[in-house]
């Protein structure tokens, strides 16, 4: 009996089978059960994939117990302090930090792709002004494949690289266009003399009537927020991108599918839901009432921005964003009662046995919206900001999956609990 196998005995037949144990670089040893149906004629049952590894990946590692997040082995706090979002996007896709020359080439290519086809701009006019930005982004991103027929062979390395770069280059232009449409202002073209985050701020807030001065505090805050949101291993939206890509769908359709998954309030939609919740709580006096609601099993209310499938400790991103909140809000001279309320809510929750027992801590979404709001970005755009940043992680996982020679179409099984086989009943006998 090898030490690197797990023995499983079927007590109904007495048959024992050994399954290989896979040893990762970091993280839990993992049992390879792919031969289970053939060896023992069984499936496994794991709703929500709580204990199921869907793939092998080299990109990101999370230690939920220690609150550690690594992008290609580099700790998130070091990247947040020393890197830029575009450099992190390069790292996620290529596995190594770029040399100066490599980054300059990458930056130049991204800039050369940042415009969207003029006829794509008319798509926005098809939306009513109060369309949710995520509805617009999902629709417009999915339609991108209609403009690049010449590079959609998913088995062609160059086509895949080109599509990945096009996605990263155009997503800020699309996100800003969603915002401009919602406020009735003209869509602003990208500018190649600006950095990725400077360009996004200019497309969001400049108007033809006057010069827009880009605030370096806002640029630094965006670089940090985008780095922190860039990737997070096999979360719901990234798993959606992978499942969609496993069918051979084009990367624009895959990213649109990920965008749709991220929109949910249990996932990336939480940053918008946190601000709505803080507005609803209103004052420190109301905190106990909402903490009680969050603990009440008969009340569907959850403390938005709290809890995580993987982190059983502080989300390292939440700690970094909380510290940045102080800097951004004081730099912008913003009195921010919502930030004070959030700090108090965090303190009360983390002293409450319900949250402590369940290891529920603030996650990345708890503070991020406060900074977006301080930068003048409306709540409806918060999830679009998350989607913009996560696009580099989505395309990195899509590239990794498409380059895997063992790629198979994703097709989970089920535990069928429906009606047993039966014959059709004529209407007269029903
Ligand atoms: C993101 O996966 C990722 O990596 C995602 C993400 C990324 O970068 O891609 O990190 C981004 O999505 C962050 C999460 C944002 N969502 C929210 O803030 C919404 C509020 N959080 C919850 O919906 C919840 O915590 C989840 C969805 C985040 C995690 O849910 P799980 O892992 O399925 O946990 P669970 O529901 O099984 O909770 C365990 C217990 C339950 O109570 P009991 O049945 O054991 O009594 O904790 C309770 C839950 O009811 N619980 C909460 C709670 N979160 C969990 N109770 C009140 N408030 C909460 N927020």
């Amino acid at each position: 009996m090898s030490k690197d196998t797990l023995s499983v005995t079927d007590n109904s037949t007495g048959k024992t089978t050994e399954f290989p144990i896979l040893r990762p670089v970091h993280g839990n040893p993992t049992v390879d059960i792919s031969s289970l149906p053939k060896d023992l004629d069984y499936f496994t049952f794991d709703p929500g994939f709580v204990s199921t590894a869907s793939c092998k990946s080299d990109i990101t590692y999370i230690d939920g117990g220690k609150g550690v997040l690594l992008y290609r082995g580099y700790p998130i706090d070091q990247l947040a302090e020393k890197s830029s979002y575009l450099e992190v996007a390069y790292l996620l896709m290529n596995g190594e930090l770029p040399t100066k020359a490599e980054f300059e080439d990458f930056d130049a290519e991204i800039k050369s792709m940042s415009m969207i086809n003029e006829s794509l701009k008319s798509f926005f006019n098809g939306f009513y002004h109060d369309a949710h930005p995520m509805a617009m982004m999902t629709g417009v991103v999915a339609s991108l494949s209609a403009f690049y027929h010449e590079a959609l062979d998913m088995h062609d390395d160059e086509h895949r690289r080109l599509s990945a770069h096009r996605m990263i280059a155009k997503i800020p232009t699309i996100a800003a266009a969603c915002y401009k449409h919602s406020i009735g202002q003209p869509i602003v073209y990208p500018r190649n003399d600006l950095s990725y985050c400077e360009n996004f701020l200019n497309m969001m807030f400049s108007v033809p009537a006057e010069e827009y001065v880009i605030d370096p505090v806002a640029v630094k805050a965006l670089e940090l927020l985008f780095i922190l949101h860039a990737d997070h291993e096999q979360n719901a939206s990234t798993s959606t991108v992978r499942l969609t890509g496993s069918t051979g769908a084009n990367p624009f359709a895959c990213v649109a599918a990920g965008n749709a998954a991220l929109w949910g309030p249990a996932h990336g939609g939480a940053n918008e839901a946190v601000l709505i919740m803080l507005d609803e709580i209103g004052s420190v006096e109301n905190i106990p009432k909402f903490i009680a609601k969050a603990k009440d099993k008969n009340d569907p209310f959850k403390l938005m921005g709290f809890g995580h499938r993987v982190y059983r400790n502080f989300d390292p991103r939440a700690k970094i964003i909380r510290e940045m909140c102080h800097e951004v809000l004081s730099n912008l001279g913003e009195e921010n009662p919502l930030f004070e309320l959030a700090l108090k809510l965090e303190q009360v929750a983390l002293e409450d046995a319900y949250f402590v027992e369940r290891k529920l801590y603030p996650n990345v979404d708890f503070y991020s919206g406060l900074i977006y709001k301080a930068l003048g970005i409306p709540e409806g755009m918060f999830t679009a900001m998350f989607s913009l940043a996560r696009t580099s992680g989505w395309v990195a996982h899509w590239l990794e999956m498409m380059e895997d020679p063992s790629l198979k179409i994703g097709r989970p099984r089920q535990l069928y609990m429906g009606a047993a086989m039966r014959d059709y009943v004529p209407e007269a006998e029903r």
Side-chain angles (χ1 to χ4, degrees):
M1 193 177 302
S2 152
K3 70 175 176 49
D4 250 13
T5 60
L6 185 81
S7 294
V8 174
T9 299
D10 179 351
N11 293 324
S12 63
T13 61
K15 183 179 178 189
T16 296
T17 303
E18 295 196 7
F19 295 96
I21 293 175
L22 307 176
R23 306 265 174 207
V25 169
H26 292 307
N28 298 35
T30 301
V31 182
D32 179 349
I33 57 160
S34 46
S35 66
L36 185 62
K38 177 172 60 65
D39 292 348
L40 287 179
D41 201 22
Y42 281 106
F43 293 150
T44 57
F45 183 59
D46 182 22
F49 310 115
V50 174
S51 49
T52 294
S54 61
C55 62
K56 290 180 180 175
S57 180
D58 301 354
I59 299 174
T60 293
Y61 174 69
I62 303 170
D63 183 325
K66 296 180 186 146
V68 168
L69 169 58
L70 308 176
Y71 289 167
R72 297 287 188 173
Y74 295 102
I76 192 67
D77 52 316
Q78 292 184 29
L79 291 169
E81 184 190 338
K82 298 170 181 167
S83 189
S84 68
Y85 173 70
L86 211 52
E87 183 179 75
V88 164
Y90 182 99
L91 170 68
L92 289 170
M93 285 191 290
N94 297 287
E96 297 297 338
L97 290 165
T99 62
K100 186 172 186 305
E102 286 168 337
F103 181 75
E104 285 170 356
D105 290 347
F106 178 59
D107 183 37
E109 179 166 338
I110 294 297
K111 282 177 168 149
S112 73
M113 299 172 166
S114 56
M115 288 178 69
I116 55 177
N117 189 297
E118 279 298 291
S119 51
L120 197 59
K121 286 171 59 181
S122 61
F123 280 52
F124 293 93
N125 297 326
F127 292 103
Y128 207 49
H129 68 87
D130 62 355
H132 194 289
M134 288 299 280
M136 292 191 263
M137 272 182 84
T138 305
V140 171
V141 166
S143 64
L144 280 173
S145 59
F147 295 84
Y148 302 109
H149 301 295
E150 87 291 349
L152 287 180
D153 172 1
M154 294 306 106
H155 300 291
D156 180 308
D157 292 357
E158 183 52 21
H159 285 193
R160 290 201 299 268
R161 192 192 61 79
L162 199 52
S163 298
H165 290 186
R166 276 175 168 150
M167 202 65 258
I168 290 172
K170 297 178 190 302
I171 199 71
T173 310
I174 292 167
C178 293
Y179 173 60
K180 285 302 199 185
H181 177 72
S182 69
I183 56 174
Q185 287 185 1
I187 291 173
V188 175
Y189 288 104
R191 279 176 41 189
N192 290 348
D193 61 316
L194 300 177
S195 73
Y196 195 85
C197 289
E198 289 171 340
N199 194 23
F200 176 68
L201 286 168
N202 188 60
M203 292 189 287
M204 282 285 287
F205 298 119
S206 71
V207 290
E210 59 190 37
E211 191 199 356
Y212 172 67
V213 178
I214 296 167
D215 179 348
V217 171
V219 174
K220 181 172 177 254
L222 273 193
E223 287 284 3
L224 188 63
L225 286 166
F226 286 173
I227 288 170
L228 296 177
H229 285 81
D231 194 50
H232 217 235
E233 62 162 69
Q234 306 310 322
N235 59 84
S237 54
T238 301
S239 297
T240 301
V241 169
R242 280 181 172 262
L243 189 58
T244 308
S246 74
T247 70
N250 71 71
F252 307 106
C254 296
V255 170
N259 205 61
L262 186 77
W263 193 0
H267 192 10
N271 54 15
E272 179 180 352
V274 166
L275 264 290
I276 294 167
M277 175 185 73
L278 291 174
D279 282 331
E280 199 182 349
I281 294 173
S283 69
V284 172
E285 294 68 42
N286 290 332
I287 287 178
K289 183 176 82 174
F290 283 83
I291 292 285
K293 280 171 61 70
K295 292 158 61 174
D296 179 355
K297 287 301 162 210
N298 299 316
D299 190 328
F301 175 79
K302 287 200 186 291
L303 211 57
M304 302 315 284
F306 258 75
H308 198 276
R309 172 60 56 77
V310 177
Y311 289 120
R312 295 305 181 225
N313 198 323
F314 253 94
D315 180 334
R317 303 167 297 174
K319 283 166 78 172
I320 294 169
I321 294 175
R322 182 192 327 122
E323 286 153 27
M324 181 173 63
C325 261
H326 282 294
E327 182 187 340
V328 170
L329 298 178
S330 52
N331 268 296
L332 295 175
E334 293 263 324
E335 276 304 304
N336 199 307
L338 284 182
F339 180 47
E340 299 310 319
L341 180 61
L343 287 172
K344 185 65 181 167
L345 178 61
E346 174 192 313
Q347 179 198 343
V348 172
L350 293 185
E351 289 168 358
D352 185 292
Y354 173 93
F355 292 87
V356 172
E357 285 159 11
R358 292 166 178 78
K359 300 186 186 303
L360 302 175
Y361 290 86
N363 59 49
V364 66
D365 293 308
F366 189 62
Y367 289 104
S368 55
L370 291 167
I371 296 181
Y372 288 138
K373 185 179 176 81
L375 298 179
I377 295 167
E379 285 171 20
M381 278 294 293
F382 289 1
T383 308
M385 301 294 285
F386 194 148
S387 174
L388 188 169
R390 185 53 56 89
T391 295
S392 57
W394 287 335
V395 297
H397 281 272
W398 175 75
L399 287 171
E400 180 180 66
M401 179 186 71
M402 296 307 289
E403 286 154 13
D404 179 352
S406 66
L407 170 61
K408 295 163 73 75
I409 188 170
R411 204 272 184 223
R413 305 308 298 267
Q414 63 171 12
L415 194 64
Y416 176 69
M417 303 302 285
M421 191 182 333
R422 53 183 170 169
D423 294 327
Y424 183 80
V425 178
E427 189 183 72
E429 297 170 23
R430 291 173 198 162

